[in-house]
Structures are given as structure tokens and as C-alpha cells.
Amino acid sequence: MVTMGDLTFEIEKIISEVKARNARRILLQFPEGLLPYVTRIASLIEEQAGVEAVTSLDPCWGACDLADSEALTLRSDLLIHFGHAPWPTQTKVPALFVECFSKREIAEQAVKAALSLGLKRLILTSTVQHVKTLPLVKKALEDAGVSVTLKSDSKRAPYPGQVLGCDYSNAFSPDADTTFFIGGGLFHAVGVALFTGKRVISLDPYTGEVRDVTPNVRRLLLERYTHVAKAKDAKRFGIIIGLKSGQTHINVARSIRDALRSSGKEAYLFAMREVVPERFMNLGDVEALVVTACPRIAIEDGPRFPIPVLTPDEVEVVIGRKNWVELYPSINEKVEEEDG
Amino acid sequence: MVTMGDLTFEIEKIISEVKARNARRILLQFPEGLLPYVTRIASLIEEQAGVEAVTSLDPCWGACDLADSEALTLRSDLLIHFGHAPWPTQTKVPALFVECFSKREIAEQAVKAALSLGLKRLILTSTVQHVKTLPLVKKALEDAGVSVTLKSDSKRAPYPGQVLGCDYSNAFSPDADTTFFIGGGLFHAVGVALFTGKRVISLDPYTGEVRDVTPNVRRLLLERYTHVAKAKDAKRFGIIIGLKSGQTHINVARSIRDALRSSGKEAYLFAMREVVPERFMNLGDVEALVVTACPRIAIEDGPRFPIPVLTPDEVEVVIGRKNWVELYPSINEKVEEEDG
């Protein structure tokens, strides 16, 4: 185990896997937050395993974004993917997932936050780097009299309480009225609220900041509503197929194309690796987009696109197969109550 | 032949190729400038050939940037690459290159420009979309008393006078003192000057603008000099391997790594599809980069990177195997004369 910053890396697991496979060339892949460590990690592995390491510097947003075809292009014997839990997929090049866990202790901060906010019945969630601490946090909260649920219901997120940008199965519970999310940034905290419809309190273990993300989710839902409303008036749709290994959903894209065409719209299939707004500035006459690659792209990056961008589920509302309240039920009711 | 804007597209060639191959699914790929036409072209092909078309919207910078692995991922039967002349490569999915030629008439503007500048001995060059007009321009210039060379010496650029961002073989001539470049923008005009060391006059057929690009090249050379000088002081180098089909030069990257290590530098191999500066903002301790993907990335985008970026040839100067004047001979002499 090697420690860098407050993170631990299982370098020994890599060395033994490289040796067991007799690998000569490996490809390393890191999410953005681990970029500061890449040269030290590559050096360690090259020296200790006698292997040639190439590091992918393309953006990497999750375990679904696996540099498998890149490893094939580079004739790597092994792909080592850092920072995400294993993704259930077949790869062309053998892949080793190396999580890296934070050593930060959170229990005390968590108890303080829960007591000061008067939280009684929580479900506890986090991202992979903090999942190891969740049982400790649960125990500390229970000792302080808080009822805590920790769930393991997801096929994609293997650790109890772990959430992914596209999978919040471990955050649903009838026994809790509040989700307590441990982690930095708003991406996952807002994701939990959007997909579960429950109130979310987030605790950033690095800054200590505690916040209720409901206002952020409300703003996001109004944005989504605007995209859907504008898309209803669009005649010509582009449907984006992702080219990343865990984001290629061709049949979903085809069925959306057919549904749109049946509703009297024009619909075109597009393929992209990185779904970035810049490519749509010159795209002539396309008036709305549907992103099938990752459901979070439309939600997080929507405002940066020059035309409305939808998730596959939102298309159902555009063509009248679902209504808005079915799509985003609980929180939407709250928005309607407050706005109505 | 279908005309859009002032460009002609050989749609019939595509229809007959799709039918001859009995293709059911095709992938279309366009450079940026053709994005306004993609839905009309996809519609035409889908209707006339009864095929499913997906359009790649990833950036596409040349025939070396062929969406071959993307076509494989999408299980396309055929890849249709628009706007560039064929690239000599083996592909995993059959590829059809469809040039599109400009119908714009340039001869009159060219004669006017040559006579007003007193040009006597020219070599004529252009990009693929204007190559068909070069014989007409040559004749018109010769009729006006100008000596004109049109050369076909390149293995990668099949048309007489055609240049690519990485190949200016058709622009070298002992019989000419000036290169006359026909095309928009500065990318190719500056490329000709940089790699041939000759004076370049560019004529933009859309705006009619005529310019001597020498000041631009001089500025660019000073920039290159700065990158090389800074890289001499760097201890830790990143060497970037391109992941695009015609830009993957692993052995070049390895030999640069070994040369740098022999010179007492640390050197790491990186792989990237789009070599963009954003990815280097958090890259810890790397102090200089070498891009082996495409020689123009360091030159065009260098100023946007937070650390010095070199071409493979420039590394030779950094480690003392070549000197600066050998690298960029003629124009460099001019810069030294003027600055010295």
C-alpha cells in the first residue's frame, strides 16, 4: 500500500498482477483528481515490475469510461484503471481496477452535522474513495442516537452505500427521510436528490462544509423543464451514441430515433467520444439533442449547449408518452408547490 | 454530383459503394467546415441507398484522423470520410474517401495578385478542395508571363500541388523563389513557409485577401525557439503518443523517451486522442511535453499549453543532436539577420 496525499494506492496488487501475467506493456488510466500522482505511480510500477507503462491522459469520468480500445491500439497486455470500483463488462484487453481509498476520518464531523441539524433517520451514501469509512460513520451516528441505513442494492456499485453518477440504487430507502452524502462537490449530492426525490444533506470531508442541496436541485429541475419545453417545438433531433466502452447504447439510440420519427420529427444518429458543446456550434439545422451515452451529460452540461439537450427519459415527455411528474416525481411536486 | 454552398459532393459514388457492398450500417465522418451539411448528406444517403447512417461528431483534422476504431465499435459495414484525399493506410472497417471540391474560380484573382506583386517564378500549392483548379490557375498565370511549377512528389498528398499539414513535399522547388498558396486561413500558408523556408504569398479565394505570411512565420519561429530553450532546463518530460489511426507512432515515442533518458532527463509515455491543453493543468510535476501524434499540434497550439511543447525534431535540439539552424534553416537565417 502506497500513500500519496490522503489516498492509498494498492501498488502491490498491480505489481503482482503484472508479474503473474508476464505483462511487458501496460496502460494506466486515472480520473482527473489523480493526475497529480501519475508520474510517481508510473515510476514505481515501471521500477518494481520491470514493465513499460503508458498513461492515458484523455478525460476519464468513471469506470464506464474504460480505455479498452486505447489499450488495444497501444498493444498493451494489461489496462490498469485507477480510482473507480470494477465495472461489470467484458474487455478486449485484460483490465485491473485499482480503487484508491481516502484515509480521512469523517465520523466525528458526521455526528456533529447530524446532531446540529436534528437528523433522525438517515440513509448513508458516498463515492468509492470514502466507502471504507461508511461503517465507522454509521456506528458513530448510531451511538449518537441516529437511525442509519446502509444499503447494498446496486449491480454496478459494489460497496454498501456507494453511488455512481448513473446509479443511485444504494440511496433508496423507505426507512429514511434524509440522505446523508459524504463527498466533495455537488455532482453526486445533486444526483441523489434528483433520482431519489429525497432531501439530501452533503458533508464535504475536505472542507467540512455541510449543506442541504435542495435549492440546487430545484434550479436544475427548472433547467430540465426548459430543455424539454423547447425540445417539444424542435423539428430536427440529433441522437448521440457514446463511443466509450461502457457508454455505447446503439439500440437505445435507434429506438429513440424511431419514436421521434413516429411522432413526425426528423431524427439523426450521431456518434461521439466526448460530448462537448463546441461541436454543435456549426452543426447547421439540428434543433435539439438526445444524449444516450451517460444520463448526466444533458443534466450537468445542458446550459453550455447552444440547443436543448435531453436524457433518453426526457424524450418520453417530449413525445407525450410520459408526463413531467412521472419523470421527476417527489422533488418536482415540491417545486410545483413552491412555484404554484 | 450534389452541390451545397460552393462545394460538390460525389454522393453517387457513395450510393454505388453502399449498394455494391450491401452495407446496412455506415459511419460518416466530416471535418469541421462541412458540419453545416451533415444532416442533408445523411438524409440523401439514407433515402437513396436504404442504409442506416451514423455521423461522427468528434473533431476531425485530416485523413490521418480516421474514425476507424469508432466504425468498428458501431459495427459499421463502411466508413465514409469526407473532405480529405485518401490516406495510405490499412483499416479495420472498409473506408471510402470522398473529396469535396470547390467550384470557385480563382484564375483571375491569382493573375491579378501575381502581377501586382511582380511575382516571376512561382510554385503553386493548395489544399484538396481547390486542387482541381490549379491547372487552370497555372495556365492563366503562364499566359500572363509568370513561370509556374506544379509538383507531384508527395506519397501522402495525391494531387499535384496539394499540401497537408504534415507534408509539404509538393511545395519544394529549386525553380521557384516564391510559393503561391491558394486557400483560406493561415495554417497551410504558414506550414509551407516553415517547412520549405521560402517566401509564401497566400490568396484566400473566399475573401480575395492576398498576403505575405513571412511576419507570421517569424513570430512562430520565435515562439518555437522559446519552447525549445525552456525545455532545455526541464528535468521531467512527457511524450505524447496519439491514439488516432494515422497518428499512432509508438516507436517514435519510445526512441524519444530513450534519448531523453540517456541525456539524464526523466521521461514518461502518455497517450491521448485529442491533445488539448486542459489535461495538463493538473498534471503535477511534468515540465515539458513532446507530441509525436501530429507535428502541427506543438506548433499551432503551443502557446495554449502551461508548459513547453515540442515536436519530435525539436527534441534533437534539446538534447544537442541538432542545432537550431539545421532544424528551421532558411527562414531562421532571415530571422537571425533581422534580429542580429
Side-chain angles (χ1 to χ4, degrees):
Chain A
M1 200 74 84
V2 172
T3 301
M4 297 186 191
D6 79 332
L7 296 170
T8 57
F9 294 86
E10 293 177 287
I11 300 291
E12 301 75 8
K13 181 168 141 186
I14 300 169
I15 307 295
S16 74
E17 188 77 11
V18 166
K19 290 187 173 165
R21 290 186 175 274
N22 209 7
R24 291 171 51 216
R25 289 181 295 263
I26 60 176
L27 178 62
L28 310 178
Q29 189 186 19
F30 300 89
E32 184 78 22
L34 300 182
L35 289 184
Y37 310 117
V38 302
T39 57
R40 275 187 284 163
I41 292 174
S43 273
L44 270 177
I45 299 173
E46 284 201 334
E47 282 163 25
Q48 295 185 18
V51 71
E52 174 180 287
V54 178
T55 300
S56 164
L57 289 185
D58 283 336
C60 173
W61 302 109
C64 58
D65 186 355
L66 199 62
D68 185 27
S69 65
E70 291 81 349
L72 194 70
T73 298
L74 295 168
R75 301 190 186 177
S76 309
D77 305 312
L78 182 64
L79 166 62
I80 302 178
H81 182 100
F82 287 83
H84 299 117
W87 185 253
T89 183
Q90 283 281 326
T91 59
K92 294 179 281 279
V93 171
L96 178 67
F97 288 82
V98 179
E99 294 115 336
C100 54
F101 297 110
S102 169
K103 291 169 68 182
R104 190 160 285 254
E105 287 174 13
I106 301 162
E108 201 178 318
Q109 290 181 65
V111 169
K112 199 174 138 202
L115 295 184
S116 73
L117 291 168
L119 305 179
K120 298 270 188 284
R121 296 161 55 239
L122 294 180
I123 178 162
L124 203 51
T125 67
S126 187
T127 57
V128 64
Q129 76 257 38
H130 301 294
V131 288
K132 294 260 166 141
T133 199
L134 292 187
L136 288 175
V137 174
K138 181 175 191 282
K139 181 161 187 317
L141 285 166
E142 286 171 342
D143 289 349
V146 182
S147 153
V148 180
T149 307
L150 197 52
K151 263 184 71 182
S152 200
D153 259 6
S154 167
K155 284 180 187 150
R156 294 170 174 173
Y159 294 99
Q162 187 197 347
V163 293
L164 303 173
C166 59
D167 190 334
Y168 292 95
S169 316
N170 291 342
F172 282 93
S173 167
D175 304 330
D177 48 23
T178 303
T179 309
F180 197 47
F181 171 78
I182 290 173
L186 284 177
F187 179 82
H188 286 293
V190 158
V192 177
L194 201 60
F195 290 104
T196 64
K198 293 287 176 70
R199 180 190 185 204
V200 175
I201 303 294
S202 78
L203 166 62
D204 184 322
Y206 299 102
T207 64
E209 191 186 6
V210 179
R211 59 194 284 181
D212 182 334
V213 302
T214 308
N216 304 77
V217 178
R218 209 167 273 153
R219 200 161 50 242
L220 210 62
L221 277 171
L222 291 174
E223 253 171 49
R224 301 317 311 150
Y225 195 82
T226 309
H227 280 258
V228 171
K230 283 189 183 161
K232 282 184 183 169
D233 296 331
K235 288 267 178 294
R236 205 167 286 109
F237 284 72
I239 301 144
I240 299 170
I241 301 167
L243 287 166
K244 295 179 168 189
S245 63
Q247 298 187 359
T248 310
H249 309 300
I250 306 178
N251 288 333
V252 173
R254 282 196 182 115
S255 92
I256 292 171
R257 173 198 60 194
D258 296 343
L260 284 167
R261 286 184 179 170
S262 299
S263 305
K265 309 284 195 184
E266 281 182 47
Y268 298 89
L269 297 180
F270 295 128
M272 296 183 88
R273 190 166 303 269
E274 301 297 330
V275 186
V276 290
E278 295 72 32
R279 298 297 291 166
F280 298 95
M281 301 303 174
N282 296 321
L283 192 65
D285 48 8
V286 174
E287 293 165 315
L289 297 170
V290 185
V291 181
T292 66
C294 159
R296 299 303 292 274
I297 295 170
I299 295 170
E300 306 306 311
D301 299 332
R304 298 173 53 223
F305 281 77
I307 47 178
V309 197
L310 308 177
T311 67
D313 282 343
E314 289 168 347
V315 179
E316 305 274 302
V317 180
V318 168
I319 61 178
R321 286 191 188 164
K322 256 189 197 170
N323 66 45
W324 180 252
V325 178
E326 282 176 285
L327 191 62
Y328 295 116
S330 320
I331 296 203
N332 189 59
E333 284 164 30
K334 287 176 207 141
V335 172
E336 289 194 341
E337 275 163 32
E338 301 206 5
D339 295 341
Chain B
M1 200 75 85
V2 173
T3 301
M4 296 185 193
D6 80 330
L7 296 170
T8 57
F9 294 86
E10 293 176 288
I11 300 291
E12 301 75 7
K13 181 167 142 186
I14 299 169
I15 308 294
S16 74
E17 188 78 10
V18 166
K19 290 187 174 167
R21 288 185 176 275
N22 208 9
R24 291 172 51 215
R25 290 181 294 262
I26 60 175
L27 178 63
L28 311 178
Q29 190 186 20
F30 301 88
E32 185 76 24
L34 300 182
L35 288 185
Y37 309 117
V38 301
T39 57
R40 275 187 283 163
I41 292 174
S43 274
L44 270 176
I45 299 173
E46 285 201 333
E47 282 163 24
Q48 296 185 19
V51 71
E52 175 180 288
V54 178
T55 301
S56 163
L57 288 185
D58 283 336
C60 172
W61 302 109
C64 58
D65 186 355
L66 198 61
D68 185 26
S69 65
E70 290 82 348
L72 195 68
T73 298
L74 296 169
R75 301 189 185 179
S76 309
D77 305 311
L78 183 63
L79 166 63
I80 301 177
H81 182 100
F82 286 84
H84 299 117
W87 185 253
T89 181
Q90 283 280 326
T91 59
K92 294 179 280 280
V93 171
L96 178 67
F97 289 82
V98 179
E99 295 114 334
C100 55
F101 297 111
S102 169
K103 291 169 67 182
R104 192 159 284 255
E105 287 174 13
I106 301 161
E108 201 178 316
Q109 291 180 64
V111 170
K112 199 174 139 202
L115 296 185
S116 73
L117 291 168
L119 305 179
K120 298 270 190 283
R121 295 161 56 240
L122 294 180
I123 178 162
L124 203 52
T125 67
S126 188
T127 56
V128 63
Q129 75 257 39
H130 300 294
V131 288
K132 294 261 165 140
T133 198
L134 291 187
L136 288 174
V137 175
K138 180 176 194 281
K139 181 161 188 319
L141 285 166
E142 285 171 344
D143 288 350
V146 183
S147 153
V148 179
T149 306
L150 197 51
K151 263 185 69 181
S152 200
D153 257 6
S154 168
K155 284 180 188 149
R156 292 171 176 175
Y159 295 98
Q162 187 197 347
V163 293
L164 302 174
C166 60
D167 191 335
Y168 292 95
S169 315
N170 291 342
F172 282 93
S173 168
D175 305 329
D177 48 22
T178 302
T179 308
F180 198 46
F181 171 78
I182 290 173
L186 284 175
F187 180 82
H188 286 292
V190 158
V192 177
L194 200 60
F195 290 103
T196 64
K198 292 288 176 69
R199 179 191 187 205
V200 175
I201 301 295
S202 79
L203 166 62
D204 184 322
Y206 300 102
T207 64
E209 192 186 5
V210 178
R211 59 195 285 181
D212 183 335
V213 302
T214 308
N216 304 76
V217 179
R218 206 167 276 152
R219 200 159 52 240
L220 210 62
L221 277 170
L222 293 173
E223 255 170 46
R224 301 316 312 149
Y225 195 83
T226 309
H227 280 258
V228 170
K230 284 189 183 163
K232 282 183 184 168
D233 296 330
K235 289 267 177 295
R236 204 167 286 109
F237 284 71
I239 302 142
I240 299 170
I241 301 167
L243 287 167
K244 295 179 168 189
S245 62
Q247 298 188 0
T248 309
H249 310 300
I250 305 178
N251 289 333
V252 174
R254 281 193 182 117
S255 93
I256 291 170
R257 174 197 58 195
D258 296 343
L260 284 167
R261 286 183 179 171
S262 301
S263 305
K265 308 284 194 183
E266 280 181 49
Y268 298 88
L269 297 180
F270 295 128
M272 295 182 89
R273 190 166 303 266
E274 301 297 331
V275 186
V276 290
E278 294 72 32
R279 297 298 291 168
F280 298 95
M281 300 304 173
N282 296 321
L283 193 65
D285 48 7
V286 174
E287 293 165 315
L289 296 171
V290 186
V291 181
T292 65
C294 159
R296 299 303 291 276
I297 295 170
I299 296 170
E300 305 306 311
D301 299 331
R304 297 173 54 222
F305 280 78
I307 48 179
V309 196
L310 308 176
T311 68
D313 283 343
E314 289 169 347
V315 179
E316 305 273 302
V317 181
V318 168
I319 62 177
R321 287 191 187 161
K322 256 189 195 168
N323 66 44
W324 181 251
V325 178
E326 283 174 284
L327 190 60
Y328 296 115
S330 317
I331 295 202
N332 189 60
E333 283 163 30
K334 286 177 206 143
V335 173
E336 290 195 340
E337 276 164 29
E338 301 208 3
D339 295 341

